[in-house]
Amino acid sequence: SEAQLAYVNKYFEAVCSAVLDEDGTVKEFQGDGVVAFWGAPIAQPDHAVRACRAALAAAARLDVLCASWAARGVPAPSYRMGLHTAELVAGEIGSQERGTYGIVGDGMNLASRIEGMNKFYGTRILISEATRVRAGDEFVVRELDVVRVVGRRAPVKVFELIAHGSRPDLSASRSSGRYADALNAYRNRDWNRAAQLLDDLLETHPDDAP
């Protein structure tokens, strides 16, 4: 209906405006998803930082939008984002009759896989280790897991993007550190300590899905 289309366009506007504010390029819309990239056609050495800032800004705008919809009795949509940093090929894609400027490469597939992982972990924004390294220490993140991805032999380390470092969410930052302790205990097979740390976290952060 026209009403549904209006809501979808508001959703796209919130996401796309966050991308464009960080000088990103919106490649296409896939259903209710937005594909965007940085670093082309103009080189941006800080492309990972821009992408992370855009993701956090989009999340903040969508939260406000969804809250306004909920106040009017409109079901709020869920959203997930996945970021990955890789070398891609950018240029004109298509035929002589119809073409568009876009990007191709395996990195696009991995970004899509990472986006889908949010559904399993109950998170909203996940980034790859490559993006984490390239973005530096400007953001509050926490390592969640090392996962196998279809089509890739090497496992991929994924992080939850929590906040911008210059505006840290202190409770999230503390949670991030305690979660890291629990993850280390788990990987060292210190099951009792890992379980105790995670139980303590759940008492103070009962809605923390990971």
Side-chain angles (χ1 to χ4, degrees):
S1 67
E2 291 185 5
Q4 289 176 317
L5 185 59
Y7 284 123
V8 170
N9 285 337
K10 285 287 186 182
Y11 173 86
F12 282 143
E13 182 180 341
V15 177
C16 293
S17 63
V19 171
L20 296 177
D21 284 350
E22 291 295 338
D23 296 324
T25 299
V26 175
K27 178 179 182 286
E28 62 183 315
F29 301 102
Q30 293 182 349
D32 60 355
V34 179
V35 180
F37 62 90
W38 282 259
I42 299 174
Q44 296 165 316
D46 60 343
H47 50 78
V49 171
R50 290 174 181 269
C52 289
R53 284 201 303 246
L56 290 170
R61 295 174 192 186
L62 288 174
D63 284 344
V64 172
L65 185 63
C66 290
S68 70
W69 288 351
R72 287 179 284 173
V74 178
S78 60
Y79 63 86
R80 304 185 297 267
M81 299 180 226
L83 276 62
H84 177 53
T85 301
E87 185 174 313
L88 302 171
V89 177
E92 289 293 327
I93 300 173
S95 64
Q96 290 182 347
E97 291 76 21
R98 175 171 295 185
T100 184
Y101 183 85
I103 53 175
V104 294
D106 182 60
M108 295 286 294
N109 296 328
L110 182 53
S112 177
R113 300 286 187 187
I114 292 172
E115 181 270 328
M117 292 177 195
N118 283 287
K119 189 173 183 180
F120 176 79
Y121 292 104
T123 50
R124 289 184 169 178
I125 310 175
L126 290 180
I127 66 175
S128 69
E129 184 176 19
T131 299
R132 165 73 180 90
V133 170
R134 189 68 186 238
D137 298 324
E138 193 165 326
F139 301 90
V140 178
V141 302
R142 67 169 169 176
E143 181 182 345
L144 283 190
D145 212 345
V146 178
V147 299
R148 285 280 187 178
V149 179
V150 176
R152 283 179 171 260
R153 297 181 62 184
V156 176
K157 188 178 292 186
V158 292
F159 298 77
E160 181 184 14
L161 180 62
I162 297 174
H164 194 277
S166 62
R167 300 182 300 276
D169 180 323
L170 296 180
S171 64
S173 180
R174 287 195 298 270
S175 172
S176 176
R178 293 167 65 193
Y179 187 91
D181 292 340
L183 187 61
N184 286 333
Y186 171 79
R187 288 175 173 168
N188 289 326
R189 300 190 177 189
D190 188 347
W191 314 123
N192 292 334
R193 175 170 170 72
Q196 184 61 57
L197 287 168
L198 292 172
D199 284 341
D200 291 345
L201 274 173
L202 281 176
E203 289 185 5
T204 54
H205 300 79
D207 296 327
D208 190 339

